[in-house]
């Protein structure tokens, strides 16, 4: 390996940080540049819809501690890559111009999906919020005042966590979603219905199974018109409609960008079915195989994914650049266990595996009581593919290593 | 060489993810509360404690030399 090699990481979130640390711990000593669009060093996003939204949003409290091995990483913050050329091995950064690279890491993450209907221009000033970045949360936080009427569009985890936080601030909250129950896609109807019951107990009103026809108000949103013709008056809306993978940089270069960047088990993007050496995809923009859950490739937005994929990608790229041990490493089986948690009111929800893969009739209570604390098992056939607890952390944790087909 | 294992108790929310990464250092008691078994650990455990610090959802764990 020569010291003049350069790795460029596009995306300065948790995945970008972890891959940089992994490159260093796997012996890469060359230039390491991490470029991101936000002005902030990598920070922890989950609190943005929970305690940081409730108690105040400060980067110093959310910033990730960085390993000393990565102290010499060159951070180009607020200087995102605007184009990448996989053939020439170059990238164009918005402020600092053209950069050549020997290896590239795509860690661009996802962006909040916006509601594609007529209405005021999406911005905090018009009362249309999303919760993806620290600046988003900073914009929403001062709007959470007692008596404010908030309509949350979408009933996934972010929507439900914001609902919980907003109710605690004395806001009046209505949650509108196409789904039949909150969080139904990952958790199924049984747990979804129980979580709805708990939200309703705290005063959240749900309008489920209905879409949104339009947002009204000028310049600020004042009402949400539903597809059934009814309207909900509001002072602000939070669009919690999931996310869109940020793959625009890679358009037109032969990669499979259908729902994230398709990559192999060494996190190398595939072009015509063949992996590209010297390029890696990490975090929730990656659509990757996970033999622990059988054949297939999935894009997983759980908090654990940037760390798992960042470590793997750093090892693979370091071996590629050093020219030693690469073939063995990329062929070695690799799998991971997705994990996430959610805090809503006094409930801690902990999930392991991929509960969304369960058969519709494969969701069963393993321990506890659904109306109190409970462990729910998610089965595909006889296989436990996910386990979710409300409370009962010790019991949930005891199932963790049985989820999927753990590596032997 | 040894290092100090520091848990910020104001941040810790007993997620218990550190227990999987470094079971020799962290445990949950019967009530599900975090117990730190070693305040000071041998370098052989450094890598697993670094992993534990990485996977802590609230970033409550740090290492001091």
């Amino acid at each position: 390996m020569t010291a003049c090699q350069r790795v460029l990481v596009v995306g300065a979130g948790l995945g970008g940080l972890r891959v940089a640390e992994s490159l260093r711990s796997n012996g890469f000593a060359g230039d390491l540049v991490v470029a991101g669009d936000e002005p902030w060093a990598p920070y922890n996003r989950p609190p943005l819809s929970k305690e940081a939204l409730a108690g105040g949003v400060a980067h110093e409290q959310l910033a990730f501690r960085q390993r000393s091995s990565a102290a010499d990483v060159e951070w180009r913050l607020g200087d995102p890559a605007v184009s990448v050329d996989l053939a020439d091995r170059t990238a164009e950064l918005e402020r600092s111009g053209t950069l050549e690279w020997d290896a590239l890491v795509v860690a661009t993450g996802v962006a909040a999906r916006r509601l594609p209907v007529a209405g005021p221009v999406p911005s905090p000033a018009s009362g249309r919020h999303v919760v993806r970045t620290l600046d988003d949360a900073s914009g929403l936080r001062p709007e959470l005042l007692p008596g404010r009427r908030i309509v949350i569009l979408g009933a996934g985890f972010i929507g439900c966590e914001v609902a919980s936080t907003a109710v605690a601030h004395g806001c009046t909250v209505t949650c509108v979603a196409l789904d039949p129950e909150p969080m139904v896609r990952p958790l199924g109807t049984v747990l979804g219905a129980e979580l709805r019951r708990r939200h309703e107990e705290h005063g959240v009103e749900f309008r489920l199974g209905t879409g949104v026809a339009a947002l009204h108000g000028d310049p600020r949103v004042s009402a949400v018109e539903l597809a059934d013709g009814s309207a909900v008056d509001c002072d602000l809306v939070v669009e919690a409609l999931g996310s869109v993978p940020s793959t625009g940089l890679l358009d037109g270069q032969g990669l499979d960008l259908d729902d994230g960047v398709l990559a192999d088990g060494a996190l190398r993007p595939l072009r015509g079915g063949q992996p590209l050496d010297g390029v890696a995809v990490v975090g929730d923009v990656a659509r990757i195989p996970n033999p622990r859950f059988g054949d297939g490739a999935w894009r997983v937005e759980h908090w654990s994914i940037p760390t798992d994929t960042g470590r793997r990608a750093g090892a693979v790229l370091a071996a590629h650049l050093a020219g030693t041990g690469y073939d063995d490493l990329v062929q070695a089986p690799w799998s991971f266990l997705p994990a996430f948690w959610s805090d809503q009111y006094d409930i801690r929800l902990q999930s392991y595996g991929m509960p969304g893969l369960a058969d519709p009739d494969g969701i069963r209570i393993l321990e506890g009581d659904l109306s109190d604390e409970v462990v729910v098992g998610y089965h595909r056939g006889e296989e436990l593919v996910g386990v979710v607890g409300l409370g009962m952390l010790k019991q949930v944790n005891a199932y963790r290593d049985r989820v999927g087909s753990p590596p032997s | 060489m040894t290092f100090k294992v520091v848990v910020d108790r104001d941040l810790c929310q007993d997620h218990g993810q550190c227990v999987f990464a470094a079971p020799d250092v962290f445990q949950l008691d019967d009530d599900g509360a975090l117990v730190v078994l070693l305040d000071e650990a041998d370098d052989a455990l450094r890598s697993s404690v670094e992993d534990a610090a990485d996977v802590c959802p609230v970033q409550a764990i740090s290492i001091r030399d």
Side-chain angles (χ1 to χ4, degrees):
Chain A
M1 185 169 69
T2 56
C4 60
Q5 288 177 313
R6 177 185 291 139
V7 177
L8 171 65
V9 181
V10 292
L14 178 54
L17 172 62
R18 291 289 183 250
V19 77
E21 290 173 338
S22 174
L23 278 157
R24 285 289 186 249
S25 66
N26 283 285
F28 174 69
D31 287 352
L32 188 39
V33 178
V34 184
D37 55 350
E38 292 184 67
W40 308 105
Y43 59 88
N44 204 15
R45 294 187 195 278
L48 296 178
S49 52
K50 309 181 181 87
E51 55 268 38
L53 189 58
V57 186
H59 178 258
E60 61 188 43
Q61 278 158 19
L62 298 174
F64 285 110
R65 193 176 307 107
Q66 300 186 10
R67 292 192 183 189
S68 53
S69 60
D72 59 352
V73 170
E74 199 181 319
W75 295 94
R76 304 272 180 91
L77 302 170
D79 189 12
V82 290
S83 70
V84 161
D85 191 319
L86 297 177
D88 289 352
R89 297 191 174 256
T90 58
E92 196 75 24
L93 303 191
E94 189 176 88
R95 289 197 281 118
S96 46
T98 305
L99 206 62
E100 295 177 346
W101 46 264
D102 300 284
L104 175 77
V105 181
V106 178
T108 44
V110 300
R113 188 185 299 278
R114 286 284 186 173
L115 188 70
V117 301
V121 177
S123 89
S126 66
R128 291 185 62 176
H129 295 267
V130 292
V131 185
R132 172 70 196 164
T133 66
L134 197 148
D135 293 343
D136 294 336
S138 298
L140 176 58
R141 161 101 181 97
E143 295 237 50
L144 299 182
L145 301 171
R148 282 291 184 91
R149 299 163 303 170
I150 301 183
V151 174
I152 296 173
L153 307 173
F157 280 97
I158 301 292
C160 287
E161 289 175 355
V162 172
S164 163
T165 304
V167 160
H169 280 76
C171 303
T172 301
V173 178
T174 305
C175 185
V176 177
L178 275 171
D179 292 327
E181 296 289 359
M183 296 165 276
V184 70
R185 269 170 287 180
L187 299 183
T189 51
V190 173
L191 209 45
E194 170 59 19
L195 289 163
R196 173 171 54 78
R197 186 189 70 75
R198 297 183 189 210
H199 276 278
E200 286 172 342
E201 218 168 65
H202 285 86
V204 176
E205 189 177 328
F206 283 91
R207 300 290 299 271
L208 298 168
T210 182
V212 172
L215 300 176
H216 295 291
D218 181 21
R220 263 189 80 98
V221 65
S222 59
V224 177
E225 183 188 333
L226 305 186
D228 63 10
S230 65
V232 183
D233 291 337
C234 65
D235 300 303
L236 63 147
V237 299
V238 177
E239 290 164 76
L241 300 156
S243 48
V244 185
S246 301
T247 58
L249 271 182
L250 300 170
D251 279 345
Q253 302 193 65
L255 304 184
D256 181 340
L257 303 179
D258 179 25
D259 188 31
V261 185
L262 181 64
D264 71 359
L267 305 175
R268 299 172 295 180
L270 298 172
R271 181 154 62 193
Q274 293 301 310
L276 287 184
D277 293 318
V279 183
V281 192
V282 303
D284 46 15
V285 74
R287 182 158 50 94
I288 48 178
N290 187 356
R292 188 166 178 146
F293 297 93
D295 293 334
W298 299 277
R299 198 173 66 75
V300 184
E301 294 188 6
H302 295 180
W303 186 80
S304 58
I305 303 301
T307 295
D308 290 334
T309 54
R311 286 177 180 168
R312 167 80 167 156
V316 167
L317 289 181
H320 167 70
L321 293 166
T324 56
Y326 180 65
D327 292 341
D328 288 344
L329 191 59
V330 297
Q331 279 157 28
W334 179 73
S335 65
F336 55 97
L337 181 67
F340 72 90
W341 79 97
S342 179
D343 293 320
Q344 297 168 37
Y345 312 107
D346 55 349
I347 316 161
R348 160 74 48 78
L349 182 151
Q350 175 68 49
S351 169
Y352 295 112
M354 299 188 59
L357 296 180
D359 301 328
D361 59 354
I363 303 174
R364 298 192 279 281
I365 291 173
L366 300 176
E367 290 184 42
D369 175 357
L370 188 60
S371 64
D372 184 21
E373 297 203 341
V374 69
V375 182
V376 180
Y378 293 77
H379 302 80
R380 181 174 59 184
E382 290 304 307
E383 180 193 16
L384 185 70
V385 288
V387 60
V388 176
L390 300 183
M392 300 187 80
L393 180 67
K394 259 204 118 163
Q395 289 86 342
V396 187
N397 283 358
Y399 288 95
R400 175 184 182 270
D401 291 336
R402 284 189 254 161
V403 172
S405 311
S408 47
Chain B
M1 284 283 287
T2 62
F3 62 92
K4 283 194 167 59
V5 181
V6 182
V7 175
D8 185 333
R9 288 292 183 171
D10 291 336
L11 290 177
C12 177
Q13 297 176 3
D14 302 318
H15 283 267
Q17 301 308 295
C18 51
V19 176
F20 297 110
D24 295 332
V25 180
F26 304 103
Q27 234 175 48
L28 292 180
D29 70 14
D30 288 340
D31 299 324
L34 183 70
V35 180
V36 182
L37 302 172
L38 300 172
D39 290 327
E40 194 154 339
D42 189 83
D43 258 356
L45 289 170
R46 182 181 290 266
S47 165
S48 63
V49 175
E50 283 185 339
D51 286 351
D54 282 356
V55 300
C56 174
V58 291
Q59 298 286 290
I61 301 170
S62 54
I63 286 174
R64 286 205 199 122
D65 289 301

